[in-house]
Amino acid sequence: MPFHPLGIAHLSAVLRQAGMDVIVRDLTFEEIDGCIPDLVIRQPRIIGIYIMLTMVGNALMLARKIRQDIPDAVLVCGGPLPTVRPESFDRDFDIVFRGEAARSFPLFCSDCLASASLREVLRRHHRYPGLHAVDPGSGMLLRTPAQAIDEEGMDSLPIPDRSDFPHSRYQKAWEDREGFSPACIMTTYGCPHTCEFCSKPIFGRYFRRRSMDRIMEEIRSIRSFGYDGLWIGDDCFTLDPGHVRAFCRRMIRENPGMRWTCLSRSDGITPEDAALMREAGCKKVFFGLESGSNDVLKLMNKNTTVESAERTLDLFSRCGIETAGFFMVGYPGESRETIETTLRWSLTLPLDEISFTIPFPLPDTELAKRISGLQADADWRYESENRLVYESDFDQEYLHKRIEETYALFTAGKKPGITSRSSP
Ligand code: B12
């Protein structure tokens, strides 16, 4: 389901606050190169592109067209994938920004606009945390470490500027399918856990909370664009029970009737907290359940158990919150038997939605270090492509077939009149 790009809303807010002219082109509903004629007319000095997994091919194609048609623009990229694999982008882009860019990118832009050439700016490249670039004169690699912004710094940033996105199209897509229209928001950043497969390219393990006043201010801004819900994008919204309770109390007071969803681990939640979440409008919680085998959960360094997952799901479904489970099958080191256990287990749980992925070794994860035979064109090209991109003990066709069969059984169990699902 589509969401407007929140990172771009953050950056346009800080750039505008610093007095710069910003044009935002959200290509979610557009032909990718449809933006080029307009850019040719407007001749922006700096053009930035957001890139995550599945967007690499499109982003490189767009960058090459921009280079051809607007050769004088400084071409910059940022986001999750350039952060962990900057070398894949430093030939097509003049500058790659790694990590949180809300401070470094505006500084870079204002220096760039005030300088005669990019070379002059790059002479002082140490000023910009997270910069990665090949010096156009010497061919030398210029690199500065990315820098995380602390809680106080986060709260001093302006509220993301969402004024440039085609909201009615996002809202319609959601309304048609889910009956409400949520906007993405982050209330905390980072996650201290060390799951082997997880990539935390931008916010890392450094956990930070935003102040509740700022969160509520952002929700007022989101509502002013016509959204009636929130999709909380925090890596794990329920990490700090104090934060969850404070959020719920403010939602009850200030945004009654607004529905929201979040991601959670399957441990550490009390019945009282789940009930409070329900009262505060929580509609659905997404859980990374991953596997129905405790041995595989250990292999993943997940630090949860099958039993804790069952307890937590029971707790949420009892208090009327929908639950969704993400599972992985074909994990390196597991067996056919544990795969089948996971597939069966998913059908016994009180879940309203299930989603299976075959493992993708995201760059910079411990899993990526453990696998071998990674293919050269490894990036998935679309969401949940579920393509095996390394040497695996499992056959992709078998995994796809069993995933589809499990979805079919799950859907059959959800038909009106059928209240319980049984294992195959
Ligand atoms: C919301 C979200 C989604 C939304 C849509 C996101 C969107 N509109 O772009 C949905 C649900 C659709 C989604 C789907 C997927 N997602 Co997602 N998603 C997220 C999530 C939870 C929050 C993103 C967000 O809003 N962050 C907040 C903003 C403020 O941060 P930001 O966007 O990173 O922006 C900052 C920097 O990156 C940088 N920056 C960003 N853009 C630019 C541009 C320039 C020019 C510069 C200089 C800097 C810069 O500055 C910003 C401010 O500091 C992140 C997890 C996370 N914690 O970030 C995962 C995450 C981005 N998703 C991820 C993945 C893997 C996926 C899927 C591939 C999953 C799948 N099963 O298929 C799909 C692919 C979607 C697709 N494009 O086809 C990974 C990306 C890994 C990677 N290395 O690329 C992440 C990191 C989660 C994870 N740990 O695995 N996702």
Side-chain angles (χ1 to χ4, degrees):
M1 294 299 285
F3 288 104
H4 53 253
L6 185 53
I8 294 295
H10 269 264
L11 296 182
S12 56
V14 280
L15 292 168
R16 283 176 177 143
Q17 189 184 51
M20 282 173 254
D21 279 338
V22 180
I23 309 164
V24 174
R25 292 303 301 259
D26 175 357
L27 305 180
T28 306
F29 301 102
E30 285 185 39
E31 284 301 318
I32 286 158
D33 52 4
C35 62
I36 303 260
D38 183 44
L39 294 181
V40 169
I41 295 167
R42 295 190 188 205
Q43 289 290 319
R45 297 271 304 276
I46 304 160
I47 300 180
I49 301 181
Y50 167 73
I51 310 174
M52 69 189 271
L53 185 77
T54 74
M55 294 177 179
V56 178
N58 285 340
L60 290 178
M61 191 242 286
L62 184 58
R64 285 167 197 162
K65 289 201 171 177
I66 291 173
R67 184 68 92 202
Q68 200 184 322
D69 293 352
I70 316 165
D72 293 335
V74 173
L75 206 44
V76 184
C77 69
L81 210 57
T83 296
V84 290
R85 228 176 53 204
E87 62 286 354
S88 303
F89 303 97
D90 61 15
R91 285 177 302 280
D92 289 282
F93 290 85
D94 298 306
I95 313 286
V96 179
F97 269 95
R98 300 175 53 250
E100 297 170 28
R103 290 256 183 263
S104 49
F105 186 51
L107 181 63
F108 169 82
C109 290
S110 63
D111 285 358
C112 224
L113 296 177
S115 304
S117 70
L118 178 60
R119 263 200 195 173
E120 194 183 308
V121 182
L122 286 178
R123 257 183 240 129
R124 289 168 291 153
H125 67 274
H126 292 111
R127 279 165 61 79
Y128 319 113
L131 178 138
H132 170 113
V134 177
D135 184 85
S138 64
M140 261 173 55
L141 186 62
L142 310 173
R143 242 178 108 102
T144 56
Q147 223 170 61
I149 302 174
D150 63 14
E151 278 185 355
E152 209 179 314
M154 284 288 188
D155 279 333
S156 68
L157 294 173
I159 295 296
D161 185 344
R162 292 176 163 85
S163 57
D164 302 283
F165 304 124
H167 296 294
S168 54
R169 302 198 62 177
Y170 285 105
Q171 286 158 7
K172 183 166 183 337
W174 275 92
E175 283 291 348
D176 287 352
R177 213 179 97 171
E178 299 283 333
F180 83 130
S181 57
C184 191
I185 185 172
M186 303 276 289
T187 77
T188 65
Y189 297 96
C191 168
H193 289 281
T194 52
C195 304
E196 192 194 35
F197 53 82
C198 184
S199 167
K200 287 174 282 197
I202 306 299
F203 303 107
R205 293 184 60 196
Y206 176 23
F207 180 67
R208 287 148 285 165
R209 282 156 291 228
R210 292 177 64 197
S211 89
M212 225 26 94
D213 286 342
R214 299 290 282 159
I215 295 169
M216 292 299 139
E217 189 184 340
E218 185 169 341
I219 296 174
R220 283 195 292 277
S221 152
I222 285 172
R223 293 186 76 153
S224 74
F225 291 108
Y227 291 93
D228 64 359
L230 302 172
W231 197 89
I232 299 177
D234 303 16
D235 291 311
C236 182
F237 175 65
T238 56
L239 271 176
D240 174 5
H243 176 81
V244 174
R245 285 174 209 141
F247 175 81
C248 289
R249 288 191 197 111
R250 295 282 298 257
M251 286 300 282
I252 293 168
R253 261 206 327 267
E254 294 169 42
N255 297 295
M258 196 171 195
R259 283 175 293 169
W260 48 276
T261 65
C262 65
L263 286 124
S264 172
R265 281 171 65 83
S266 61
D267 55 3
I269 303 184
T270 64
E272 293 75 26
D273 288 342
L276 183 64
M277 286 167 72
R278 172 81 182 105
E279 195 190 338
C282 181
K283 173 177 155 51
K284 188 187 253 184
V285 181
F286 293 83
F287 293 94
L289 302 173
E290 322 303 356
S291 175
S293 151
N294 281 333
D295 290 338
V296 178
L297 290 171
K298 270 206 196 92
L299 188 67
M300 294 171 168
N301 209 22
K302 182 81 194 177
N303 239 333
T304 56
T305 61
V306 169
E307 294 72 26
S308 71
E310 287 171 353
R311 262 197 312 275
T312 305
L313 290 176
D314 192 48
L315 199 150
F316 275 99
S317 59
R318 267 171 204 275
C319 67
I321 296 178
E322 292 169 37
T323 54
F326 296 124
F327 301 89
M328 254 188 274
V329 282
Y331 201 73
E334 77 167 324
S335 64
R336 266 205 185 218
E337 200 188 326
T338 57
I339 292 174
E340 291 299 328
T341 304
T342 299
L343 294 166
R344 268 199 312 275
W345 185 58
S346 72
L347 295 171
T348 66
L349 298 168
L351 286 166
D352 299 279
E353 189 179 324
I354 55 172
S355 171
F356 285 92
T357 320
I358 65 176
F360 182 93
L362 286 163
D364 91 330
T365 58
E366 290 303 310
L367 177 64
K369 292 181 196 150
R370 193 158 70 76
I371 52 107
S372 51
L374 185 67
Q375 290 165 14
D377 68 333
D379 300 320
W380 283 357
R381 291 150 298 183
Y382 50 88
E383 191 165 352
S384 302
E385 184 181 354
N386 273 350
R387 181 161 53 94
L388 269 177
V389 295
Y390 56 91
E391 274 167 25
S392 167
D393 290 342
F394 306 103
D395 174 35
Q396 184 174 291
E397 302 318 311
Y398 153 72
L399 294 171
H400 284 184
K401 180 168 168 286
R402 292 296 292 124
I403 289 174
E404 288 312 318
E405 285 168 358
T406 307
Y407 284 149
L409 283 167
F410 182 80
T411 311
K414 300 227 75 104
K415 279 189 187 137
I418 301 177
T419 48
S420 66
R421 291 183 301 271
S422 55
S423 337

